[in-house]
Amino acid sequence: MSDAAWRMPASPYRGSWRLAGRFWPTVREDPADAEAISHKLSVRAGLVRQLAAGLYTVTPMGLRVIQRVEAIIREEMNRIGAQELLMPVMHPAEIWEATGRYGLSEQFRLEDRGGRPMVLGMTHEEIVTWHAARELRSYRDLPQSWYQIQTKLRDEPRPKSGMLRVREFTMKDSYSFDADADGLEKSYAAHSEAYARIFDRAGLLWYRVESDVGMMGGSGAHEYMAPSPSGEDVVARTASGSYAANVELATSVACEPAFGEPFGAPEEFATPGIGTIEELTAFTGQHPATLAKSVVLVADSGPVLAIVRGEHQVHEKKIAHIIGEHRAAHPEEIREWFGADPGSLGPVGVSAEVRIVADSTLEQGHYVTGANRDGFHLRGVVLGRDFAAETADIRTVLEGEESRDGSGPIELVPVIEIGNIFKLGTKYSEPLGATYLDENGQEQQIIMGSYGIGPARVAMAAIEQGHDDNGIIWPTGIAPFDVHVVLIGDPDSAQGEYAGALWAELSDLGLEVLLDDRPGLRPGEKFVEADLLGCPVRVTVGKRTLPDGPLEVMVRRTGEKSEIALEGAAHAIRALWDGLAAG
RNA sequence: CGGGACGUGGCGCAGCCUGGUAGCGCACCUGCUUUGGGAGCAGGGGGUCCCCGGUUCGAAUCCGGGCGUCCCGACCA
């Protein structure tokens, strides 16, 4: 075989491709095990291939999209003065021991040849702080913002939805180091602005929402969420977006049911065979919001009775904030503590060993609760009078409930988390000894923030938000190419030569152009694959084009076709693309 | 970690219930025709039927164990 047979055609244009000879494995049918749209289309459009659960190879075509996302991220991170660096994926375990994060269930652990325990990085707070502790000594060294785009490894219990939830992925993670809380606010705000520009430029519909600080710890956090039916998280927001929060901490104004006349004391009544709230609603004819739901949990400290109104659910995360790690109680345990089975449980007359946590909504009104006697309930039960309980927000938000800021009813939206920002404070700088000397020579702790974006999730979210029956519809900002030139005919033909010249001219005008010059393919196949790939503008060059034109140009998003004269065609296409990019 | 489904040429699937020559479509190779929306005809190559064990004269098929992948839940910076 001669060299020429396997060499790629020479291209003077780094960003533009001639397709002939390239590795671009498209697929006609949806992969059998794919559920999410982005999973199906990313495989079909030849962007990724799966190696194992949660492990994906990105193809040359897919890598173009990822790299465009990364390019936007780099520009915007650099714009706010963040500096790119690169830290190792493999870390000595002892650094993670210092912060108490060694041994987390998602952590990949291994040993080096000397038997030293090592971990693969799930994130880099420990490592970056370790460096900061050694290098940043004076207030004159602050503030700093460092970032990297690098591999993270997490042994996810359940990888899913293609590239949306994987065990190995690249993340842009940045870390800010400030002298004080004001400095952190500035770094946080700078990242917030950079993130807004990044996600706008990536062409996503996105929300910035309040989030739980979770295992990262710290004093405040926001998540960036792209709405999508394939999303794993849920955001509670109002139509205007003036209120938006992860449901894990969202609050709302619960409805105000008619409680009716209060009772002087709880009254027991028979409820034979009644267990669930639905049954109790039907039996009593009362609104579920006037019934109290009792859930028994077991925390480290012992049994916990969590109470919410009938229309609500106890939210796992919210109750966990109060009682810590916990599990559901076994039926035998419930029998022992309450003397009744689930379905007839309530807070009245419960032994002191049971901690009672009631949702704040219970502070108003009187309720029907279980009587802790099988087949009986109490009506007229009042919190504070008939039983004592801690109160807190432990319930889920319901769609349709009013927002606390008065901006209207709450809607619940499934979303993909594409980024997050955390105010870490001293959570990492303290255990790792990251301190500096202030103007007075006093040792102070460095105040940190951490900020993440998943470029592949950005790409997948774009697919989720932009597709039709024929394939992907990329936003102009992150499409693999700006213009897709479909050559119909032989590369050596007159139209082949014209297509090559147009390709070069468009590239000279600053566009990244894909020229489908693959020989032997039928026109239909090229069109179908062009639709699948979804570049914003498609130009067709065929027999009809020469010698007098016109060129057929199609906008992928609208399907709108137009004809362009050969004279000045490249400039006209560039102008068309500029119009799409602008709006 | 609980529940469920699936595992058969590269991809998508049938066959399994009722054991007896491994099949279909697409893709791939060769030839001819075709060439503006996934072509037609003819010929051809390619499979440890996920793995291990058991039952049987004989196992893709029945039984047991394991592994893998996906979905639901739990979990999740």
Side-chain angles (χ1 to χ4, degrees):
Chain A
M1 186 183 289
S2 70
D3 283 358
W6 58 266
R7 274 202 185 132
M8 295 306 305
S11 165
Y13 301 105
R14 254 184 62 220
S16 290
W17 278 14
R18 283 173 168 269
L19 238 198
R22 300 262 181 191
F23 173 56
W24 181 39
T26 59
V27 181
R28 288 188 184 220
E29 296 175 88
D30 286 337
D33 54 11
E35 205 70 24
I37 301 251
S38 56
H39 187 190
K40 293 177 181 172
L41 287 177
S42 59
V43 171
R44 288 225 289 137
L47 309 179
V48 300
R49 282 297 181 264
Q50 183 176 19
L51 172 67
L55 298 175
Y56 282 83
T57 292
V58 179
T59 65
M61 189 66 83
L63 193 56
R64 290 189 60 94
V65 176
I66 300 296
Q67 289 178 338
R68 277 199 160 185
V69 175
E70 291 177 352
I72 292 171
I73 291 172
R74 285 196 169 91
E75 280 184 30
E76 296 300 342
M77 293 310 298
N78 294 343
R79 192 204 295 268
I80 62 169
Q83 305 152 76
E84 186 169 5
L85 48 62
L86 189 60
M87 293 178 271
V89 270
M90 196 186 304
H91 314 153
E94 60 182 303
I95 301 180
W96 286 77
E97 282 169 349
T99 59
R101 294 210 299 177
Y102 182 60
L104 292 178
S105 62
E106 291 177 20
Q107 192 167 49
F108 283 106
R109 290 178 289 276
L110 67 160
E111 287 183 354
D112 69 10
R113 66 167 67 203
R116 269 179 296 275
M118 310 291 285
V119 304
L120 301 179
M122 316 166 63
T123 176
H124 282 75
E125 278 79 13
E126 275 78 358
I127 306 311
V128 80
T129 309
W130 188 90
H131 285 301
R134 273 147 196 81
E135 315 301 335
L136 302 178
R137 302 185 179 89
S138 157
Y139 69 94
R140 295 179 212 275
D141 296 332
L142 300 175
Q144 292 288 326
S145 278
W146 302 340
Y147 77 97
Q148 64 176 349
I149 297 178
Q150 200 251 24
T151 303
K152 302 284 183 270
L153 294 125
R154 300 178 185 181
D155 198 359
E156 290 285 346
R158 184 149 99 83
K160 59 176 291 197
S161 303
M163 294 277 282
L164 283 179
R165 180 169 209 71
V166 290
R167 295 192 291 176
E168 176 178 326
F169 59 100
T170 50
M171 178 189 257
K172 187 291 295 180
D173 46 321
S174 45
Y175 306 90
S176 63
F177 306 92
D178 282 283
D180 52 33
D182 281 352
L184 173 59
E185 290 301 326
K186 291 195 183 83
S187 295
Y188 196 78
H191 275 85
S192 187
E193 285 162 25
Y195 276 33
R197 281 194 292 266
I198 289 165
F199 298 129
D200 280 344
R201 288 182 61 186
L204 294 179
L205 176 60
W206 58 275
Y207 307 139
R208 176 184 192 266
V209 309
E210 295 173 39
S211 82
D212 195 356
V213 293
M215 68 181 268
M216 300 296 311
S219 57
H222 289 84
E223 289 165 323
Y224 291 80
M225 304 295 214
S228 157
S230 296
E232 300 183 80
D233 288 292
V234 176
V235 163
R237 70 189 296 276
T238 53
S240 68
S242 72
Y243 179 76
N246 194 312
V247 282
E248 292 171 5
L249 49 66
T251 62
S252 60
V253 181
C255 69
E256 289 189 20
F259 286 103
E261 288 303 304
F263 294 69
E267 292 177 7
E268 191 174 74
F269 63 108
T271 51
I274 302 300
T276 67
I277 288 292
E278 290 72 28
E279 291 164 352
L280 196 57
T281 302
F283 184 82
T284 60
Q286 290 184 221
H287 191 278
T290 66
L291 313 174
K293 187 186 291 184
S294 298
V295 178
V296 185
L297 305 168
V298 182
D300 291 343
S301 59
V304 175
L305 180 66
I307 311 172
V308 295
R309 278 194 193 170
E311 84 271 35
H312 292 138
Q313 305 266 325
V314 175
H315 190 104
E316 281 298 312
K317 287 269 170 71
K318 289 181 176 179
I319 190 76
H321 276 304
I322 296 162
I323 66 170
E325 292 275 307
H326 63 276
R327 61 171 171 84
H330 302 307
E332 318 83 67
E333 293 172 322
I334 293 175
R335 189 86 222 165
E336 182 193 334
W337 293 321
F338 294 87
D341 290 328
S344 298
L345 304 180
V348 178
V350 171
S351 90
E353 70 170 317
V354 178
R355 180 177 178 186
I356 303 178
V357 182
D359 185 71
S360 307
T361 49
L362 275 293
E363 287 168 346
Q364 257 76 54
H366 57 87
Y367 292 86
V368 173
T369 75
N372 294 323
R373 181 180 166 204
D374 287 340
F376 289 89
H377 279 75
L378 299 175
R379 61 167 72 92
V381 173
V382 176
L383 171 62
R385 184 191 69 184
D386 303 319
F387 70 99
E390 304 165 52
T391 58
D393 174 26
I394 60 169
R395 68 176 177 89
T396 53
V397 166
L398 276 187
E399 195 145 34
E401 289 178 336
E402 288 295 313
S403 165
R404 287 196 187 283
D405 70 357
S407 63
I410 297 272
E411 53 185 30
L412 299 177
V413 187
V415 294
I416 297 166
E417 182 183 350
I418 48 176
N420 52 38
I421 55 180
F422 290 92
K423 293 176 189 171
L424 295 176
T426 60
K427 181 176 162 71
Y428 296 91
S429 46
E430 202 234 305
L432 290 163
T435 59
Y436 68 97
L437 292 184
D438 68 15
E439 296 89 326
N440 305 314
Q442 297 294 306
E443 186 169 70
Q444 304 285 351
Q445 308 231 325
I446 294 177
I447 311 294
M448 290 177 56
S450 92
Y451 317 86
I453 294 179
R457 279 202 178 172
V458 169
M460 293 304 114
I463 295 176
E464 292 283 339
Q465 293 183 356
H467 64 271
D468 62 16
D469 290 344
N470 296 327
I472 302 170
I473 303 173
W474 289 108
T476 49
I478 63 172
F481 293 92
D482 301 311
V483 177
H484 189 146
V485 178
V486 173
L487 165 63
I488 296 175
D490 200 292
D492 298 332
S493 66
Q495 53 270 34
E497 280 182 28
Y498 176 80
L502 179 66
W503 172 81
E505 198 178 345
L506 287 168
S507 300
D508 285 339
L509 291 176
L511 294 173
E512 296 194 311
V513 187
L514 178 65
L515 172 58
D516 188 352
D517 57 349
R518 294 174 296 177
L521 286 188
R522 302 175 61 80
E525 297 178 79
K526 292 192 175 187
F527 289 135
V528 166
E529 293 196 339
D531 287 347
L532 229 200
L533 183 62
C535 297
V537 175
R538 188 190 78 192
V539 179
T540 306
V541 177
K543 272 184 188 156
R544 296 179 193 168
T545 310
L546 297 177
D548 302 319
L551 275 171
E552 183 199 279
V553 177
M554 189 184 86
V555 174
R556 177 66 180 89
R557 188 170 293 278
T558 59
E560 192 184 340
K561 290 179 182 171
S562 51
E563 296 186 336
I564 290 184
L566 294 190
E567 180 74 30
H571 281 92
I573 292 165
R574 168 82 216 201
L576 173 68
W577 185 88
D578 287 343
L580 294 175

